[in-house]
Amino acid sequence: MTVMPMARQQSRMCDEALVVWSRYGEALRERERLAGGMAWKVVKGREYLAHYRYDPLRGGKRFVSKGPRSSDTERLMKAFLRDRAAFDAGFPQIRDQADLMAKVAQVSDLGRMPVAAGDALRSLWVEGVLGGKALVIGTCALFGFETEARARVDDELLRLGGVGLLVDGQAEIEEVFEGLRRIDKRLVRTDADRLEGRAGFYFRAITRQRVFEALDTSGELDATQLDAVAWALRADPRESVCFAKDGYAVPLMTPGPRACAILMAARHRVSPDGCGDRQATAIAELVAQGLDEPFRSEHRQAFGELPDGDAEIFGMRA
């Protein structure tokens, strides 16, 4: 058994923390929308409304035109100032609640994800990059699934050396990496699809096509298994929330439990040197407990016995 239910008190604290996060997360996105300011700028003798904000990656202010001065842009300016004033008045109380709840989450041992990963993923979510441009896959997704199920996965399965992100193409990789470097300029690009930070902690963004091609050309998967992989790569995004070790909530967007389990199982068949089999088994246990719809019969058949025949994956026998 790789999964255990949360203690009742811990589960209750989790429920309360998620209520606080729903307000705080909404406030963080509103802060992002209202970041910087608006001003009238004269260009070639004509006034334009510009939304400006500081660009930490390139330095200095970045301006985005909202159009020439008109009744519409004047209303836009008034609405921005009104919304900004309302936000400035209400945000401190929401932030204080989030700070207090983070301390409670720490004491309740809800925080599991490394802080560096949590800060980065939260910022990508606030900016709309996570979910809109990228989905979390691999070990990182497990943090969200266990919290969603009010369960605990073996610590050994949650050892995180980096964050895996699934994207559509190279343009999305560039956008994701730009967002990450706005958060931490010390991140260094060590490969076309990889950023590395302190102590070797990395972020890897990989395209759906590259994932499929790597598994296909390995020669280790049959047609039924590749069909399951193709399904997993097309799965609809699913939102969940976990907690970083500092107690703050971290929103995640993933392809969903079943899709992540299929990708883990497929990768383990190609490279059986990690714990992808046990991670897939843990997710299968959570699915069986009601986290998601049951696995399709063809997917269960595709990834039944492990290569060594000692255990099942979607049958959950570990």
Side-chain angles (χ1 to χ4, degrees):
M1 193 81 168
T2 57
V3 175
M4 295 293 291
M6 281 185 182
R8 183 177 300 178
Q9 177 72 4
Q10 194 176 43
S11 180
R12 187 174 68 81
M13 288 297 101
C14 184
D15 292 341
E16 293 182 10
L18 290 176
V19 171
V20 173
W21 161 251
S22 67
R23 295 194 294 265
Y24 187 49
E26 183 179 342
L28 290 177
R29 280 193 159 170
E30 182 70 352
R31 183 176 67 178
E32 173 69 14
R33 183 179 75 86
L34 298 171
M38 283 192 177
W40 300 104
K41 291 180 65 69
V42 178
V43 180
K44 296 182 179 180
R46 194 174 185 185
E47 272 192 311
Y48 290 84
L49 180 62
H51 186 182
Y52 63 88
R53 58 193 302 163
Y54 178 72
D55 186 339
L57 188 57
R58 298 175 179 84
K61 293 181 180 179
R62 182 177 60 183
F63 292 85
V64 176
S65 175
K66 297 297 183 180
R69 187 158 198 161
S70 66
S71 58
D72 287 341
T73 52
E74 286 179 353
R75 281 196 296 270
L76 185 62
M77 176 67 143
K78 289 178 181 178
F80 178 86
L81 295 175
R82 182 187 64 244
D83 292 348
R84 181 65 176 271
F87 174 82
D88 289 344
F91 182 70
Q93 181 181 3
I94 297 174
R95 182 188 56 211
D96 289 347
Q97 290 174 344
D99 291 343
L100 178 60
M101 197 69 242
K103 294 176 182 177
V104 174
Q106 270 190 309
V107 172
S108 302
D109 196 29
L110 292 177
R112 306 264 276 171
M113 177 179 284
V115 174
D119 288 347
L121 291 172
R122 190 183 307 107
S123 294
L124 289 180
W125 179 87
V126 167
E127 292 183 3
V129 175
L130 192 61
K133 303 292 182 180
L135 300 178
V136 174
I137 56 174
T139 303
C140 213
L142 261 175
F143 291 100
F145 298 152
E146 69 162 10
T147 303
E148 191 176 350
R150 303 297 188 272
R152 274 292 186 256
V153 174
D154 284 353
D155 290 350
E156 183 182 348
L157 304 184
L158 295 176
R159 292 177 182 170
L160 191 66
V163 175
L165 298 165
L166 186 67
V167 300
D168 280 335
Q170 189 62 40
E172 286 73 23
I173 291 179
E174 300 305 322
E175 188 168 346
V176 169
F177 281 2
E178 182 170 323
L180 287 168
R181 293 202 65 241
R182 280 198 299 271
I183 301 162
D184 186 353
K185 289 191 291 185
R186 293 169 296 182
L187 290 171
V188 177
R189 195 160 188 168
T190 58
D191 206 339
D193 61 2
R194 187 180 177 107
L195 286 179
E196 286 195 13
R198 292 166 292 179
F201 193 86
Y202 67 86
F203 296 88
R204 188 183 184 205
I206 186 167
T207 66
R208 288 172 171 81
Q209 181 178 353
R210 184 169 179 182
V211 170
F212 188 84
E213 289 177 350
L215 295 172
D216 185 18
T217 57
S218 71
E220 297 294 331
L221 302 182
D222 61 29
T224 304
Q225 292 165 339
L226 288 172
D227 285 345
V229 168
W231 176 87
L233 292 173
R234 295 192 305 268
D236 292 333
R238 176 174 174 140
E239 185 169 8
S240 57
V241 180
C242 67
F243 298 90
K245 291 182 177 179
D246 59 5
Y248 287 92
V250 182
L252 301 175
M253 297 295 295
T254 74
R258 292 177 297 160
C260 284
I262 287 170
L263 294 175
M264 288 171 172
R267 185 166 182 245
H268 183 78
R269 283 189 176 269
V270 173
S271 303
D273 56 350
C275 58
D277 56 333
R278 295 181 60 208
Q279 290 176 326
T281 299
I283 295 176
E285 289 184 32
L286 294 174
V287 169
Q289 293 171 15
L291 177 62
D292 201 357
E293 295 177 12
F295 285 96
R296 295 183 178 184
S297 59
E298 61 268 31
H299 296 166
R300 287 177 61 90
Q301 293 169 5
F303 295 100
E305 295 293 330
L306 293 175
D308 58 15
D310 287 340
E312 293 179 352
I313 296 182
F314 302 148
M316 298 182 299
R317 182 166 50 86

